[in-house]
Amino acid sequence: MFLRNAWYVAAWDNEIDAGLVARTILSEPVVLYRRPQGGPVALEDRCCHRSLPLSMGKQVGDNLQCGYHGLVYDPSGQCIAVPGQSNVPTGGKVRAYPVIERWKWIWIWMGDPALADDTLIPNWWWMDHPEWKVVRGPVLHIQGNYQLVTDNLLDLSHLTFVHADTLGNDAIVRFPVRTDRIEGGVRMSRLIPDSPPPPLFQKYCKFAGHVDRWQIVEATLPSYCDVDVGCTDAGTGAFEGRRIGGVPFHALSVATPETERTCFQFYAHPRRFALDDEEIDLSYKRDFLRVFKEDVQVMEAQQRSFDRDPNPPSININVDAPSLAVRRRLAEAIQTEHAGARQLRLHA
Amino acid sequence: MFLRNAWYVAAWDNEIDAGLVARTILSEPVVLYRRPQGGPVALEDRCCHRSLPLSMGKQVGDNLQCGYHGLVYDPSGQCIAVPGQSNVPTGGKVRAYPVIERWKWIWIWMGDPALADDTLIPNWWWMDHPEWKVVRGPVLHIQGNYQLVTDNLLDLSHLTFVHADTLGNDAIVRFPVRTDRIEGGVRMSRLIPDSPPPPLFQKYCKFAGHVDRWQIVEATLPSYCDVDVGCTDAGTGAFEGRRIGGVPFHALSVATPETERTCFQFYAHPRRFALDDEEIDLSYKRDFLRVFKEDVQVMEAQQRSFDRDPNPPSININVDAPSLAVRRRLAEAIQTEHAGARQLRLHA
Amino acid sequence: MFLRNAWYVAAWDNEIDAGLVARTILSEPVVLYRRPQGGPVALEDRCCHRSLPLSMGKQVGDNLQCGYHGLVYDPSGQCIAVPGQSNVPTGGKVRAYPVIERWKWIWIWMGDPALADDTLIPNWWWMDHPEWKVVRGPVLHIQGNYQLVTDNLLDLSHLTFVHADTLGNDAIVRFPVRTDRIEGGVRMSRLIPDSPPPPLFQKYCKFAGHVDRWQIVEATLPSYCDVDVGCTDAGTGAFEGRRIGGVPFHALSVATPETERTCFQFYAHPRRFALDDEEIDLSYKRDFLRVFKEDVQVMEAQQRSFDRDPNPPSININVDAPSLAVRRRLAEAIQTEHAGARQLRLHA
């Protein structure tokens, strides 16, 4: 089940600079490209003549030409030329999806185009702000349902067990999580005072002693996560709003469903320390990729378990409160969307 | 849906020279071999004892011996020996299929053996004629429905887009196709007067200027295509029946269904020019294989689209007339065959 | 269909010495490990929190800790600790399976633990007897139903056709098999007097002339086979109970179902000749692996045939008597078990 009236990240901006991008999103085949003047375009990736993916064709100016019989589509999805004949048959068109380029990503709207509202894209201003340095992650293709990604990021107690060498340590689980309802989602907060810094943070910033560490994750529908994490010297006021020095950064993540059991994860790391340190850039690229791949292994193993038994007897624990809350909100939103669609059909 | 009462190519003659050939045809497992005296044999590829494929056994004279317990089958499919016992149990037999060796191919009849009529094999005399040189193609295994192959060959306007480097050029699509009903199928004709020769033809025969080019494709049931194509110097009468010099040849193709969504394509190129030119032989082998593989990529991508959505909203265009006509005739033939089978069952 | 109230081999003893072993048995995910004090443990391989396989976690003393959020399970399957909270939620447990280490193997009981009775493990004393030398086979993963393994071992006439280079020769099929009902199964016997020794036996023991050869296979439920085979000089009394010299050995095999269409085969070769000859050890490892792999090829090809057509028209032959008898007994036992389970449910 997917929320259709929502923005998902379809691609990095520089992916469509390099040519046509074919990607299945919410089980629909999509082809993405960039117009010569810059704007992104997303069309159904299937010629309406003989079903060849349009991504096997080529871009001609603003338009896309099918690689089989040369039919040409404009950015609205309208077929505007059929080689060898003067007219275009009625019905010669494919679906076009609203797309917006923002925060270095191409966002796509998979639902009713009339409802596409760009204010629903999260305000992740760090991605374009000069005081923040952004390190891009690769597109992760995960053999797992997209909601497992939100579960994973909302519950950072797993750092202790999954990422013991990099981000985890025993201090984390000793402190409880707090769950707050926010607009469109849920905030999880955990404050870890006066503890040893985790290995990766210690590498970035040689702390002399203990640190105050924060983990604040805002998960909003359908599958956005803003992970605000970091630490500063213990007792310098991080928990009272004074984050002085140390390691402050965001991990921004969008899980875009490919199918019911696979997804793409797009992630980036804007940071506000050591902006010009290319070694830290490299560490973010390499070490966090390793961390994310540890999570991918976990999520793919979960998916295989759920494939075998989708609803096994199971328990919840305290740290699940935020992820259960956001799953509930998503389920409600999907139900509301379906009810609305039914109502629309009834009145049609 | 398959037409069962029809001949399909099961193998090249030289494939069965080299040993047992296991091939699934119309979703049935078949093993093919050649008797010492020469005639081909086709049996169900499944021992009637414990279901081991007979293709894992060995040929013993005219017969085939299972590789598990040594049961021996004669060319009629009758089990004639069971090691360790003197009698053969009732029901000890497998299906035998009518086979005929013709035009360098082994043709198999998958329907009612009583209806097997060798005059239904197409008269492709060029394959054995001394004035024609034949270049054999490899057996192409295609992850696509067999009807996509006929579609492809009946509509050569795709040359412009799929094979631009070899056979296509812009001239083709400017000329209309003509559709004629012929015995057992459909003829598509397109005449392209006074145009530049396509790259590959220019390579074979250095034309001084423009050419008259013809594309005449006869598609007959179930899945035969005789593609008669070529060109001669413009204005020398090719369209009035005088093909003098130039590049005249046939591409002969049979698409044999493996399953509903996969097939084998057998093809050969008989030509009536440069018979002794081995470089042209090599070019046919190499360059047309490249062309056919470009088509395979297209057909397999179509199949993946149809796997996702078998009946999407779609349009037809002018050049589809021949392929729509032959698809209609095939659908009618299959329907007639099924109706006949039902009637037979009613009267049984 | 599986017999659940039965012991299956889950692993070699030395597999769990090396760490956690994840294995699907009777379609259920199982994780196996060894306690520090030695005893084996088998648990459901799925954390009851978020379904991560426990085999991705780590052993902590007697217990197993999940690799995602650190839940700890004891050998009874009870969750005894949840990091970050003091209580364990109700329902925090996974299934534990009875396991017994015997004959170098870890035996698992997949049915009702109350019925687990270790006297049902076959008495394969040769595996631990000082007068016998045991060569272990690797764990074979077979893409075929487990009953095909018993079929294969109960009918050694296949040696002539499948293993002609090693164990087969033409003499075998000339002698009939005898079928006897034994406790829990069936005995197949074939005595082959005064015949040439098969290639592999001749290699082990340079016989001067003909041999008396015996093949006695006891197949017991659910899928155990004790293959007692060998030969001694002809006329020295092997068939009258005097096996003097020659090549006497057992091949012991358990086929453990992984799923309905895949299984594991565990096998070992205890022998009572040339105990210290390491070259013969190597030959057993290498040559019998080759023999078993020839059988795997056959069984996997059978399975592919049955996948296509599970109930094709088929015949039985004389040598099938033992395997048909054991299949019948197994079907009855499974039916009885199901009837019992139904009755239990009715009275509950």
Side-chain angles (χ1 to χ4, degrees):
Chain A
M1 301 288 275
F2 306 126
L3 191 66
R4 300 195 64 85
N5 289 317
W7 295 101
Y8 293 93
V9 172
W12 278 98
D13 53 4
N14 54 10
E15 285 188 278
I16 65 167
D17 293 342
L20 305 182
V21 171
R23 195 154 275 159
T24 296
I25 300 177
L26 274 59
S27 296
E28 294 181 13
V30 175
V31 55
L32 298 144
Y33 64 97
R34 186 185 288 293
R35 297 191 207 207
Q37 297 310 320
V41 179
L43 299 180
E44 181 182 355
D45 193 15
R46 181 188 70 79
C47 181
C48 70
H49 173 224
R50 287 294 177 264
S51 285
L52 192 75
L54 292 176
S55 54
M56 290 178 70
K58 65 176 178 188
Q59 186 176 348
V60 181
D62 272 2
N63 304 320
L64 210 49
Q65 181 169 38
C66 179
Y68 202 176
H69 301 91
L71 278 69
V72 179
Y73 295 88
D74 73 14
S76 79
Q78 179 61 47
C79 178
I80 56 169
V82 177
Q85 65 191 67
S86 52
N87 70 313
V88 171
T90 309
K93 61 171 190 261
V94 296
R95 186 167 177 190
Y97 298 90
V99 271
I100 286 176
E101 185 165 5
R102 192 173 294 172
W103 319 132
K104 307 190 198 309
W105 277 316
I106 310 298
W107 301 78
I108 192 168
W109 182 267
M110 299 301 291
D112 180 352
L115 303 178
D117 171 2
D118 77 339
T119 66
L120 295 172
I121 294 178
N123 181 16
W124 285 350
W125 54 269
W126 314 278
M127 289 291 280
D128 286 336
H129 196 281
E131 285 174 21
W132 292 73
K133 172 74 168 279
V134 173
V135 176
R136 296 161 177 244
V139 185
L140 294 179
H141 185 237
I142 303 175
Q143 303 282 340
N145 179 276
Y146 68 104
Q147 294 193 63
L148 297 173
V149 178
T150 308
D151 289 351
N152 180 276
L153 291 171
L154 263 182
D155 171 16
L156 297 185
S157 68
H158 81 267
L159 304 188
T160 307
F161 304 100
V162 182
H163 315 299
D165 298 342
T166 47
L167 299 175
N169 63 24
D170 294 340
I172 299 173
V173 294
R174 285 191 279 114
F175 296 90
V177 299
R178 172 177 165 165
T179 308
D180 292 297
R181 187 178 172 97
I182 59 170
E183 195 189 330
V186 166
R187 181 190 301 115
M188 181 285 286
S189 322
R190 181 189 260 131
L191 302 179
I192 306 158
D194 197 19
S195 309
L200 208 53
F201 293 3
Q202 180 65 12
K203 174 175 159 188
Y204 293 153
C205 181
K206 313 290 177 209
F207 293 100
H210 278 193
V211 295
D212 289 337
R213 184 176 180 186
W214 65 91
Q215 299 177 327
I216 299 167
V217 182
E218 295 192 351
T220 43
L221 302 196
S223 53
Y224 313 144
C225 280
D226 165 14
V227 180
D228 169 14
V229 288
C231 57
T232 58
D233 287 319
T236 56
F239 298 168
E240 290 80 42
R242 296 189 306 281
R243 294 178 179 176
I244 299 159
V247 178
F249 70 96
H250 288 258
L252 302 174
S253 161
V254 176
T256 301
E258 183 187 43
T259 66
E260 287 287 349
R261 59 177 308 290
T262 59
C263 69
F264 301 101
Q265 185 179 10
F266 296 87
Y267 71 89
H269 285 106
R271 72 176 188 269
R272 204 172 41 88
F273 69 95
L275 266 58
D276 301 323
D277 189 333
E278 293 187 0
E279 223 170 295
I280 289 189
D281 289 357
L282 271 175
S283 164
Y284 263 86
K285 272 202 184 301
R286 191 186 53 223
D287 295 334
F288 277 99
L289 178 58
R290 183 182 145 206
V291 165
F292 277 73
K293 284 193 167 171
E294 287 169 341
D295 287 323
V296 168
Q297 283 197 312
V298 164
M299 293 184 279
E300 295 190 339
Q302 286 182 284
Q303 184 65 45
R304 289 191 298 272
S305 271
F306 289 122
D307 286 346
R308 191 197 298 258
D309 188 350
N311 287 300
S314 67
I315 60 168
N316 296 317
I317 61 178
N318 293 352
V319 292
D320 297 327
S323 65
L324 289 172
V326 82
R327 276 184 174 260
R328 206 157 38 232
R329 292 196 71 167
L330 181 58
E332 287 164 7
I334 291 173
Q335 203 174 3
T336 304
E337 185 175 289
H338 284 207
R342 265 197 306 277
Q343 203 142 359
L344 275 178
R345 280 197 299 274
L346 282 173
H347 289 76
Chain B
M1 302 287 276
F2 305 126
L3 191 67
R4 299 194 64 84
N5 288 317
W7 295 100
Y8 293 93
V9 172
W12 279 98
D13 52 6
N14 55 9
E15 285 188 278
I16 64 168
D17 293 342
L20 305 182
V21 172
R23 194 154 278 158
T24 296
I25 300 178
L26 274 60
S27 295
E28 295 181 12
V30 175
V31 55
L32 297 144
Y33 65 97
R34 186 185 289 292
R35 297 192 208 207
Q37 298 308 320
V41 180
L43 298 179
E44 182 182 354
D45 192 15
R46 181 188 69 79
C47 181
C48 70
H49 173 224
R50 286 294 177 264
S51 285
L52 192 74
L54 293 176
S55 53
M56 290 178 70
K58 66 175 177 193
Q59 186 177 348
V60 180
D62 272 2
N63 304 320
L64 210 50
Q65 181 169 38
C66 179
Y68 202 176
H69 301 90
L71 279 69
V72 179
Y73 295 87
D74 73 13
S76 79
Q78 180 61 46
C79 177
I80 56 171
V82 177
Q85 65 191 68
S86 53
N87 69 314
V88 171
T90 309
K93 61 169 190 261
V94 297
R95 185 165 177 193
Y97 299 90
V99 271
I100 287 177
E101 184 165 5
R102 192 174 292 173
W103 318 133
K104 307 188 198 308
W105 277 315
I106 310 299
W107 300 78
I108 192 168
W109 181 268
M110 299 299 292
D112 180 353
L115 302 178
D117 171 2
D118 77 339
T119 67
L120 294 172
I121 294 179
N123 181 16
W124 285 349
W125 54 270
W126 314 278
M127 290 291 281
D128 286 337
H129 197 282
E131 287 174 20
W132 292 73
K133 172 74 169 281
V134 173
V135 176
R136 296 161 176 245
V139 184
L140 294 180
H141 185 238
I142 303 175
Q143 302 282 340
N145 180 275
Y146 69 104
Q147 294 194 62
L148 297 174
V149 178
T150 308
D151 289 351
N152 179 275
L153 292 171
L154 264 182
D155 172 15
L156 297 185
S157 68
H158 81 265
L159 304 188
T160 306
F161 304 101
V162 181
H163 314 301
D165 298 342
T166 47
L167 298 174
N169 63 23
D170 295 339
I172 299 172
V173 294
R174 285 190 281 113
F175 296 89
V177 300
R178 173 177 164 165
T179 309
D180 291 297
R181 189 178 171 99
I182 59 171
E183 195 189 330
V186 166
R187 180 191 301 116
M188 180 286 284
S189 323
R190 180 190 261 132
L191 302 179
I192 305 158
D194 196 18
S195 307
L200 208 54
F201 292 4
Q202 180 64 13
K203 174 176 160 187
Y204 292 155
C205 181
K206 313 291 178 209
F207 293 99
H210 278 193
V211 295
D212 290 337
R213 184 176 181 187
W214 65 92
Q215 298 176 327
I216 299 169
V217 182
E218 295 192 352
T220 43
L221 303 194
S223 54
Y224 313 145
C225 281
D226 166 14
V227 180
D228 169 13
V229 288
C231 58
T232 59
D233 288 318
T236 57
F239 298 169
E240 290 80 43
R242 296 188 306 280
R243 295 178 179 175
I244 300 159
V247 178
F249 71 96
H250 288 258
L252 302 174
S253 161
V254 176
T256 300
E258 183 186 42
T259 66
E260 287 287 350
R261 58 177 307 291
T262 58
C263 70
F264 301 102
Q265 184 179 11
F266 296 88
Y267 71 89
H269 285 105
R271 72 176 188 270
R272 205 173 39 88
F273 69 96
L275 266 58
D276 300 323
D277 189 332
E278 294 187 359
E279 222 170 296
I280 288 188
D281 290 358
L282 272 175
S283 164
Y284 264 87
K285 273 201 184 303
R286 192 186 52 222
D287 296 332
F288 277 100
L289 178 58
R290 185 183 143 204
V291 165
F292 277 73
K293 284 194 166 170
E294 286 169 340
D295 287 323
V296 168
Q297 283 198 311
V298 164
M299 294 184 280
E300 296 190 339
Q302 286 182 286
Q303 184 65 46
R304 289 192 297 272
S305 271
F306 289 122
D307 285 348
R308 190 196 299 257
D309 188 351
N311 287 301
S314 67
I315 60 168
N316 296 316
I317 61 177
N318 293 351
V319 293
D320 297 326
S323 65
L324 289 172
V326 82
R327 276 184 174 259
R328 206 154 40 229
R329 292 197 69 167
L330 181 59
E332 286 163 7
I334 292 173
Q335 202 174 3
T336 303
E337 186 175 288
H338 285 206
R342 266 197 306 277
Q343 205 142 359
L344 275 177
R345 279 196 300 273
L346 282 173
H347 289 77
Chain C
M1 300 288 276
F2 305 125
L3 191 66
R4 301 195 63 86
N5 288 317
W7 295 100
Y8 293 93
V9 172
W12 278 98
D13 54 5
N14 54 9
E15 286 187 278
I16 65 167
D17 293 342
L20 304 182
V21 172
R23 196 154 277 160
T24 296
I25 300 177
L26 274 59
S27 296
E28 294 182 12
V30 175
V31 56
L32 298 144
Y33 65 97
R34 186 184 288 291
R35 298 191 207 208
Q37 297 310 318
V41 180
L43 299 179
E44 181 182 355
D45 192 15
R46 182 189 69 79
C47 181
C48 70
H49 173 224
R50 287 294 177 265
S51 286
L52 192 75
L54 293 176
S55 53
M56 291 178 69
K58 65 176 179 191
Q59 186 175 348
V60 180
D62 272 3
N63 305 320
L64 209 49
Q65 180 169 38
C66 179
Y68 202 176
H69 301 90
L71 280 68
V72 179
Y73 296 87
D74 74 13
S76 78
Q78 179 60 47
C79 178
I80 56 171
V82 177
Q85 65 190 68
S86 52
N87 70 313
V88 171
T90 308
K93 61 168 188 263
V94 297
R95 187 166 176 190
Y97 299 90
V99 271
I100 287 176
E101 184 165 5
R102 193 173 294 172
W103 318 132
K104 307 190 197 307
W105 277 315
I106 310 300
W107 301 78
I108 192 168
W109 182 268
M110 299 300 292
D112 180 354
L115 303 177
D117 170 2
D118 78 338
T119 67
L120 295 172
I121 293 178
N123 181 15
W124 285 350
W125 54 269
W126 314 276
M127 289 291 282
D128 286 336
H129 197 281
E131 287 175 20
W132 292 74
K133 172 74 168 281
V134 173
V135 176
R136 298 161 175 243
V139 185
L140 294 180
H141 185 238
I142 303 175
Q143 303 283 340
N145 180 275
Y146 68 106
Q147 295 194 63
L148 297 174
V149 178
T150 308
D151 289 351
N152 179 276
L153 291 171
L154 264 183
D155 172 16
L156 297 185
S157 68
H158 81 266
L159 304 188
T160 307
F161 304 100
V162 182
H163 315 300
D165 297 343
T166 47
L167 298 175
N169 63 23
D170 295 338
I172 299 173
V173 294
R174 284 191 282 114
F175 296 90
V177 301
R178 173 178 164 164
T179 309
D180 291 298
R181 188 177 172 100
I182 59 172
E183 195 189 329
V186 166
R187 181 191 300 113
M188 181 286 286
S189 322
R190 180 189 261 133
L191 302 178
I192 305 158
D194 197 19
S195 309
L200 207 54
F201 292 5
Q202 180 64 11
K203 174 176 161 187
Y204 293 154
C205 181
K206 312 292 177 208
F207 293 100
H210 277 193
V211 295
D212 289 336
R213 183 176 181 187
W214 64 92
Q215 299 176 328
I216 298 168
V217 182
E218 295 192 351
T220 43
L221 302 195
S223 52
Y224 313 145
C225 281
D226 166 13
V227 180
D228 169 14
V229 289
C231 58
T232 59
D233 287 319
T236 56
F239 298 169
E240 290 79 44
R242 297 189 306 279
R243 295 178 180 176
I244 301 159
V247 178
F249 70 96
H250 289 257
L252 302 173
S253 160
V254 177
T256 300
E258 184 187 42
T259 65
E260 287 287 349
R261 58 177 309 290
T262 59
C263 70
F264 301 102
Q265 185 178 10
F266 295 87
Y267 72 89
H269 284 105
R271 73 175 187 270
R272 205 174 39 90
F273 69 95
L275 267 58
D276 300 324
D277 189 333
E278 294 187 359
E279 223 170 295
I280 288 189
D281 289 358
L282 271 174
S283 164
Y284 264 86
K285 273 202 184 301
R286 192 186 50 221
D287 296 333
F288 277 100
L289 179 57
R290 185 184 143 203
V291 165
F292 277 72
K293 284 194 167 171
E294 287 169 341
D295 287 323
V296 168
Q297 282 197 310
V298 164
M299 294 185 279
E300 296 191 339
Q302 284 182 285
Q303 184 65 45
R304 289 191 297 271
S305 271
F306 288 122
D307 285 346
R308 192 198 297 261
D309 188 351
N311 288 300
S314 67
I315 61 168
N316 296 317
I317 62 178
N318 292 352
V319 293
D320 297 326
S323 65
L324 289 171
V326 83
R327 276 184 174 260
R328 206 156 39 230
R329 293 196 70 166
L330 181 58
E332 287 163 8
I334 291 173
Q335 202 173 4
T336 303
E337 186 175 288
H338 284 206
R342 265 197 306 276
Q343 204 143 1
L344 276 177
R345 280 196 300 275
L346 281 173
H347 289 77

